[in-house]
Amino acid sequence: MFIEVKSAKKQYGTGEAAVYALDGADLSIEKGKICVILGPSGSGKSTLLNMIGGLDSLDAGEITVDGQKITGLSKKELTAYRKQSVGFVFQFYNLIPDLTVEENVEVVAEIAEKPLYTDEILKALDIEKYRYRFPRELSGGQQQRVAIARAMVKNPKLLLCDELTGALDTRSSRSVLKFIEKVNAQYGTTTLIITHNEGIAGIADVVVRIRDGKIASYTENDHKLTADELEL
Amino acid sequence: MKLNKRYARSIKTDLSFYVSATVLTMVTLLMFYLFYIAGTGINKYGDDFFSKYKREDATFSTYAEIPDEKLSALETKYGVTLEKERFAATDEGDYRVRVFSPNEKIDLYEIQDGHAPEKDDEIIISAGYAAENNVKVGDRLKVNGKEYSVAGTFLRPDYLYMVENLTDDYKNVTTFFLAYMTPEEFKDSFGGGSINYKVIYGDDTDQVAFRKEINENYYMASYLSADSNMRITFVHEQADMFIMSSWFILVIFPLVTVALICILLGRRIRAEQKLIGTLSAMGYEKTKLMRHYSLFAAIPGVIGGLLTSVCALILSGPFGSLGLADYEPMKPQFTLPVWVAAAGVVVPTLIYWTAAMLRVRKLLKEDVVKLLAGQVGNDAKSRRILTRSKKKVGFKYAIRQLVGNPGRSFVIFLGIFLGAMITAFGYSFIDSVKAVGEQAHGEFGTFRYEYVLNTLEKGAPDGGEAMLILPFEDGDMRRFSLIGLDGDATLWNLKTTDGGKADIESGFYISTLCEAICGVHKGDEFTFRSIATLEEHTVKIDGVIRNGYQNYIVSSREKIAGIAGLDKENYNAILSSSSLDLEKDRVSETITDKSFETQMQNMLNAMSGLIYAFIGIGMIVCVASLYATVNTMLSENRHNISMLKVLGFENGRIHSMIISSNHLLLLPGIALGIAAAYGIMAWYCARFVEIEKLMIPATLKPFSIILTAVFTAVCYFASLLLLRRKVDKTNMVEALKDGRE
């Protein structure tokens, strides 16, 4: 398995205020698949994503990505892991406002070991014409495409998307999802999308439902749809 | 207002900003207080002491003694208080003593420790020497070859600044002191001794008529008004210089730090634009919001001001004592006036308050939608530079940070500049005083001894070179010496600034110090008058002799004697390259070539505490202002830092990308700070000519420049190092939740 999560536990707060964001979650995902993780707010889906992405650490349990055990890595090792293996896309894009589109992508390319060509990725995401614009001069959908380009330029093994259409209208959401499909197909990147939007689940190879920090269901999607076919 | 509950929470979150802003406010106010307390304390003490112990208005000597009954007649005629003071000078080898018989009316002494001499084997000595040499009451000292018991120590109003000779530039409390013995013992030891007359003028005294009558009947040998006597004037002059420095500091440093804090406050308020927009959208009134943020801004002003006042009250003694280093051990009351303490709280608070209010007001004029989106102030054109450049992204980002945030960059530059300037000024002071010692030798001449005689003499000058030295003053009562030398004199420096040798047989030459004090230059006609006869004379100045340490006009002995109405054979000083065996009662002062150097070294020793305190303050200002600014910078970049972390950037690389742009400000900041320090030192040296009658060459040696640069750079990198943990501790997940671009 490309991603393996075993008995993952994460608690925030102590005593009566303690909340189990993850309470013994188990999950396995194959390489190259698109996995959509669904769940209501506070179900633990973002926590799970952060743990897999090496942004935070588990209290108990184990996570392995492409044979590399993530749990127990030092801060320095986690940084190297994120640099080499993981691309992130967030709901609010989190682009660096003082860098142009091209620079937001290049800043990652400069530290990556085997980056893709910036021009290639800008072209793939159809944002080549905006390359000298700053994020504040773009629409939300365009900014999210830049965020995907930035995540993909390092050619990561794993693309983690946190509510990537949460701040977008239907049209922009569909457009962004088309690019997710495209990069998955073009680069074979294993992609995890967390969302509370059921409509997105159609493009997934695997649909995982999470509730109260536990995996409630794991379904292989036999009727995978294209982004154009989704009902968002 | 419920919103005010944010105060405690926000301060806790933003503690480092409030701490550094408070520290900066405190440091700059303390610098002002330091000088102000010292200056006002010394001035008040001087006024009270002068009044209580009947300070003279002038002292003079005559060639013929004024009979006692004539003194009373003169007092009645001119409405003056006049007293004959008897004194004698002795040289005990390791130290020299000026012994007095106690006065009854003028220049009375105040016992500091012990009691007045009651027995024939008791003396009291000047307090400065006792303190410097650890002489205690009960110790025994030899004076005029006889051992006396030290019964006490004293101060007297005409010797609060203890220069041994009036030609000296700095005090001597290491090898010279004053002493009193009983009148009977004085008479037994020294007979009548030498005589000086002390006078206090009445409001209606015709001083010119009084001086003329003295001169006509008794021939005035010397006359020195209190206004020209540095042993007296130095008290108020140095105190006034402290006060002047305090206002200078108040204008420069607090203004700079206030500007710095205001800029930072403005940025922090701008960072809250989303909240301000939200509150505005919710219907919060403009005035309420302005008041809310103004209170935040007032915190460093109130806390800084209050803490500074408390510190100043506690430390006013030690503060003031730093300013007392040059004087006899006076005991002034150093207090911080209530109005100054109140102003120290109110003024910065009001400025911060107003700055914040204006910033909020300006923000509230913006479109609420723009505020809610956090877009106000983010569209500076300067942030678009290098858009099409192929340089590394990190470099482009750093440059945009620098030029796109001019206020923030200016504040960082200011911190570096101030640190370098204050540090360089401290070192420049040390270098300049040392330079005086190094340069003075060449400018004096090659003599090693200058013997000032008690009387006018004629004949062979005992193997030395004869010199006639007489006090004169210009129309503004600025004193200088007229010096007469023989044409073949070799020991006095007669090299002119043009590079030639002064032709004293035919002309008059002015020293550079006298030129600066009297404002007379080569080719000018200069009118001056004898302090004895008040008779005016006019001479043409034929050249300038480089000598920044002695205030004189030199010509031939014959010409000077002619001006003074003396015989051309007269002289009253002997220059010599070796020690001469002159009778003790012939010599009133002996000045050696080492005297001046020792004075400068003593001056440096006395002021070193103040100088190093100054350098320390420079470093604190540098670190605090940089810490506050870079801290603001990191807060503003918190979201970017967390995103870079998510992307896999190592902390070092993030640190370098976000902060390294400021490195570009380091060199210009240091260079301009050093240049400004040199400029201030030059101005300070110019003031020194007026106050100390000494030309100090503004100097800053290469080693001092290197030290300044190193210290400033260390402060700069230390403040960045202190903030490094902020990058390390930035929580990626939490910071990203805040980011809503």
Side-chain angles (χ1 to χ4, degrees):
Chain A
M1 281 293 163
F2 184 73
I3 299 172
E4 275 195 283
V5 179
K6 288 180 187 167
S7 310
K9 283 194 176 184
K10 181 69 181 178
Q11 178 190 333
Y12 292 110
T14 51
E16 287 183 9
V19 176
Y20 279 96
L22 289 176
D23 192 10
D26 293 288
L27 180 66
S28 300
I29 295 162
E30 281 178 54
K31 189 175 172 65
K33 300 285 184 189
I34 294 179
C35 171
V36 172
I37 301 173
L38 290 163
S41 292
S43 59
K45 56 186 190 302
S46 285
T47 305
L48 180 63
L49 192 86
N50 291 342
M51 299 299 162
I52 295 170
L55 298 182
D56 208 344
S57 54
L58 289 174
D59 295 333
E62 194 177 296
I63 297 173
T64 309
V65 175
D66 197 19
Q68 182 183 12
K69 199 172 152 193
I70 306 305
T71 37
L73 289 182
S74 66
K75 279 188 175 178
K76 204 173 172 183
E77 288 165 333
L78 279 174
T79 300
Y81 161 70
R82 288 197 302 274
K83 185 163 92 174
Q84 288 158 17
S85 310
V86 190
F88 283 94
V89 181
F90 296 98
Q91 180 180 0
F92 291 102
Y93 337 124
N94 292 323
L95 299 173
I96 296 174
D98 283 336
L99 297 181
T100 60
V101 166
E102 182 184 63
E103 290 160 358
N104 261 290
V105 178
E106 271 185 351
V107 75
V108 177
E110 279 177 4
I111 62 162
E113 282 181 355
K114 290 176 186 167
L116 302 174
Y117 288 110
T118 304
D119 285 347
E120 177 192 331
I121 199 78
L122 291 178
K123 206 169 183 179
L125 285 149
D126 199 19
I127 47 176
E128 206 183 3
K129 54 184 172 289
Y130 309 129
R131 66 193 308 152
Y132 297 126
R133 289 202 191 169
F134 286 88
R136 57 184 171 273
E137 296 162 342
L138 302 176
S139 69
Q142 288 163 343
Q143 286 191 58
Q144 196 60 296
R145 273 144 63 191
V146 179
I148 296 169
R150 179 179 66 181
M152 286 307 299
V153 75
K154 66 169 108 167
N155 198 8
K157 297 173 194 167
L158 178 61
L159 179 63
L160 302 176
C161 309
D162 186 354
E163 299 281 9
L164 86 165
T165 59
L168 304 177
D169 58 35
T170 310
R171 201 171 142 204
S172 301
S173 298
R174 195 181 303 282
S175 160
V176 164
L177 288 168
K178 274 164 82 173
F179 285 107
I180 291 289
E181 267 184 330
K182 187 176 175 182
V183 294
N184 175 256
Q186 196 166 333
Y187 302 107
T189 315
T190 307
T191 306
L192 248 69
I193 303 170
I194 62 163
T195 180
H196 57 264
N197 184 347
E198 294 272 350
I200 293 175
I203 67 162
D205 296 303
V206 176
V207 179
V208 175
R209 291 179 192 277
I210 187 165
R211 188 175 294 273
D212 298 329
K214 293 186 174 79
I215 303 298
S217 70
Y218 178 97
T219 316
E220 303 257 352
N221 186 3
D222 298 331
H223 306 287
K224 195 176 169 185
L225 304 173
T226 64
D228 282 330
E229 294 166 335
L230 293 176
E231 283 185 26
L232 297 170
Chain B
M1 190 159 65
K2 290 280 179 206
L3 196 58
N4 290 346
K5 288 191 171 179
R6 291 181 69 225
Y7 287 129
R9 292 170 204 155
S10 295
I11 292 168
K12 199 177 165 191
T13 314
D14 227 355
L15 193 62
S16 45
F17 167 73
Y18 285 100
V19 169
S20 38
T22 304
V23 166
L24 270 175
T25 307
M26 284 181 70
V27 167
T28 46
L29 278 176
L30 269 176
M31 283 174 76
F32 165 70
Y33 287 161
L34 164 75
F35 285 94
Y36 189 83
I37 288 173
T40 51
I42 293 166
N43 261 344
K44 179 159 190 330
Y45 176 86
D47 288 340
D48 294 347
F49 193 80
F50 289 158
S51 167
K52 189 174 177 186
Y53 294 97
K54 313 290 181 200
R55 194 211 73 193
E56 68 186 39
D57 283 337
T59 184
F60 61 89
S61 61
T62 56
Y63 286 113
E65 185 177 342
I66 306 173
D68 290 343
E69 65 277 11
K70 207 52 193 152
L71 289 176
S72 304
L74 284 166
E75 281 185 314
T76 311
K77 184 176 177 184
Y78 290 101
V80 299
T81 307
L82 195 57
E83 183 165 25
K84 190 182 285 183
E85 179 180 70
R86 294 187 182 276
F87 71 98
T90 76
D91 189 339
E92 305 302 324
D94 292 340
Y95 52 85
R96 293 170 300 285
V97 192
R98 194 163 293 156
V99 189
F100 294 90
S101 180
N103 293 348
E104 291 174 357
K105 295 191 282 189
I106 302 175
D107 288 339
L108 310 177
Y109 62 76
E110 181 188 68
I111 292 289
Q112 301 296 296
D113 193 15
H115 58 82
E118 291 160 358
K119 300 173 192 162
D120 287 348
D121 68 340
E122 286 182 343
I123 56 165
I124 53 173
I125 65 168
S126 46
Y129 179 87
E132 178 76 15
N133 296 281
N134 203 24
V135 179
K136 300 274 187 305
V137 172
D139 286 357
R140 298 189 75 79
L141 282 175
K142 196 180 273 186
V143 175
N144 200 29
K146 179 181 170 183
E147 272 214 348
Y148 289 88
S149 169
V150 176
T153 61
F154 70 90
L155 300 181
R156 56 180 273 173
D158 58 333
Y159 275 95
L160 284 179
Y161 181 58
M162 189 63 70
V163 283
E164 183 178 357
N165 307 303
L166 284 165
T167 47
D168 291 349
D169 288 294
Y170 195 64
K171 67 173 184 177
N172 179 4
V173 289
T174 49
T175 59
F176 172 73
F177 62 91
L178 309 181
Y180 281 100
M181 46 183 65
T182 61
E184 298 75 26
E185 177 63 12
F186 182 87
K187 199 171 181 183
D188 289 347
S189 302
F190 303 105
S194 301
I195 292 171
N196 266 338
Y197 296 92
K198 304 280 180 179
V199 60
I200 297 175
Y201 293 115
D203 291 340
D204 302 322
T205 301
D206 182 345
Q207 294 185 35
V208 174
F210 171 78
R211 285 168 69 176
K212 278 190 171 166
E213 182 171 343
I214 298 286
N215 188 56
E216 279 161 15
N217 297 322
Y218 308 101
Y219 193 78
M220 205 173 263
S222 67
Y223 180 92
L224 181 65
S225 71
D227 295 342
S228 304
N229 185 345
M230 72 185 295
R231 291 172 181 142
I232 295 170
T233 57
F234 191 77
V235 174
H236 284 317
E237 280 173 350
Q238 178 140 322
D240 288 345
M241 198 155 95
F242 280 137
I243 293 172
M244 193 183 70
S245 301
S246 74
W247 291 116
F248 175 76
I249 286 166
L250 190 66
V251 169
I252 300 295
F253 297 117
L255 263 190
V256 167
T257 48
V258 161
L260 184 150
I261 292 167
C262 287
I263 289 171
L264 293 182
L265 279 169
R267 295 192 72 88
R268 299 190 95 76
I269 290 169
R270 199 180 77 186
E272 294 233 345
Q273 59 180 285
K274 284 181 185 171
L275 179 62
I276 291 171
T278 307
L279 293 170
S280 181
M282 283 162 62
Y284 262 85
E285 290 158 19
K286 195 190 250 187
T287 48
K288 273 187 182 170
L289 282 172
M290 282 159 67
R291 206 164 51 229
H292 175 70
Y293 280 97
S294 297
L295 269 174
F296 268 119
I299 291 165
V302 173
I303 298 177
L306 282 175
L307 283 177
T308 313
S309 296
V310 172
C311 288
L313 284 172
I314 296 168
L315 300 171
S316 56
F319 271 8
S321 302
L322 285 173
L324 289 178
D326 281 339
Y327 302 101
E328 284 291 281
M330 312 188 303
K331 291 169 188 163
Q333 290 286 315
F334 292 115
T335 50
L336 181 65
V338 175
W339 74 269
V340 177
V345 178
V346 172
V347 173
T349 305
L350 258 180
I351 295 174
Y352 300 157
W353 172 291
T354 311
M357 208 154 74
L358 292 174
R359 191 76 187 101
V360 177
R361 199 173 144 207
K362 194 178 170 195
L363 272 180
L364 287 170
K365 281 184 180 169
E366 298 282 348
D367 185 355
V368 176
V369 177
K370 224 175 159 188
L371 284 174
L372 287 169
Q375 288 170 345
V376 175
N378 289 334
D379 47 2
K381 282 187 180 165
S382 49
R383 289 188 182 174
R384 305 181 66 96
I385 62 163
L386 299 173
T387 307
R388 289 167 192 269
S389 162
K390 292 294 170 196
K391 298 262 183 215
K392 288 255 181 193
V393 177
F395 174 78
K396 289 196 270 187
Y397 181 80
I399 295 296
R400 280 179 206 147
Q401 287 284 304
L402 198 68
V403 299
N405 300 280
R408 194 174 69 195
S409 301
F410 173 69
V411 171
I412 291 176
F413 170 81
L414 215 55
I416 299 166
F417 171 82
L418 271 182
M421 187 177 80
I422 300 173
T423 309
F425 182 78
Y427 283 117
S428 177
F429 192 92
I430 295 170
D431 288 347
S432 302
V433 174
K434 280 185 177 167
V436 171
E438 288 160 11
Q439 289 181 18
H441 271 310
E443 296 188 8
F444 284 171
T446 54
F447 67 90
R448 291 192 59 206
Y449 295 89
E450 180 186 340
Y451 298 98
V452 180
L453 307 176
N454 275 322
T455 55
L456 291 166
E457 296 188 6
K458 287 183 182 178
D462 297 272
E465 289 183 359
M467 179 164 86
L468 182 61
I469 178 164
L470 298 166
F472 279 76
E473 64 188 20
D474 70 0
D476 295 322
M477 311 262 286
R478 290 179 292 230
R479 282 167 57 90
F480 62 93
S481 297
L482 271 188
I483 292 176
L485 297 168
D486 293 334
D488 57 354
T490 56
L491 299 176
W492 193 261
N493 171 33
L494 290 174
K495 195 173 171 188
T496 64
T497 50
D498 300 338
K501 191 186 174 199
D503 180 10
I504 56 171
E505 295 285 7
S506 62
F508 291 84
Y509 292 82
I510 193 166
S511 70
T512 41
L513 178 62
C514 191
E515 185 186 27
I517 291 173
C518 298
V520 182
H521 308 286
K522 183 181 176 183
D524 288 353
E525 298 249 309
F526 183 31
T527 301
F528 51 83
R529 65 186 177 210
S530 159
I531 59 148
T533 62
L534 298 176
E535 191 183 334
E536 288 199 344
H537 305 271
T538 301
V539 301
K540 183 171 174 279
I541 302 299
D542 296 293
V544 180
I545 292 172
R546 186 174 302 285
N547 188 328
Y549 316 109
Q550 290 168 308
N551 184 14
Y552 66 83
I553 291 173
V554 65
S555 186
S556 69
R557 190 145 60 102
E558 187 180 347
K559 281 184 191 294
I560 301 301
I563 287 172
L566 301 173
D567 190 297
K568 64 178 184 182
E569 295 296 318
N570 278 148
Y571 63 89
N572 60 358
I574 299 171
L575 299 175
S576 170
S577 52
S578 59
S579 174
L580 299 179
D581 188 20
L582 303 177
E583 297 86 348
K584 275 186 184 175
D585 58 356
R586 280 178 66 196
V587 180
S588 69
E589 292 175 26
T590 304
I591 301 160
T592 71
D593 59 343
K594 294 286 177 202
S595 305
F596 192 73
E597 212 171 317
T598 310
Q599 286 168 34
M600 288 303 108
Q601 191 53 50
N602 289 341
M603 182 177 176
L604 209 52
N605 294 343
M607 295 196 76
S608 59
L610 197 62
I611 295 165
Y612 287 114
F614 209 68
I615 292 172
I617 284 170
M619 289 179 179
I620 293 172
V621 168
C622 185
V623 170
S625 55
L626 287 171
Y627 186 87
T629 319
V630 179
N631 184 39
T632 301
M633 189 178 182
L634 289 179
S635 297
E636 289 173 354
N637 275 290
R638 186 165 168 259
H639 174 66
N640 290 345
I641 291 168
S642 62
M643 192 57 223
L644 290 170
K645 277 190 164 190
V646 168
L647 292 172
F649 279 68
E650 294 91 2
N651 286 343
R653 195 187 280 259
I654 296 171
H655 208 260
S656 137
M657 191 169 162
I658 302 286
I659 296 172
S660 64
S661 57
N662 300 313
H663 297 353
L664 293 171
L665 300 170
L666 187 60
L667 270 181
I670 290 174
L672 286 175
I674 289 172
Y678 185 79
I680 294 172
M681 190 65 215
W683 172 84
Y684 194 78
C685 289
R687 288 283 296 127
F688 227 73
V689 174
E690 294 166 29
I691 293 170
E692 299 259 8
K693 310 291 180 272
L694 179 67
M695 282 180 99
I696 294 184
T699 309
L700 189 58
K701 292 181 176 171
F703 185 65
S704 298
I705 292 174
I706 292 168
L707 270 183
T708 300
V710 169
F711 280 145
T712 313
V714 166
C715 289
Y716 171 79
F717 287 110
S719 57
L720 298 192
L721 202 68
L722 286 171
L723 287 160
R724 210 182 169 89
R725 64 187 177 85
K726 286 228 166 193
V727 172
D728 301 348
K729 282 174 74 177
T730 302
N731 184 311
M732 289 174 279
V733 179
E734 290 303 314
L736 286 177
K737 278 182 191 168
D738 297 342
R740 299 286 185 268
E741 287 298 330

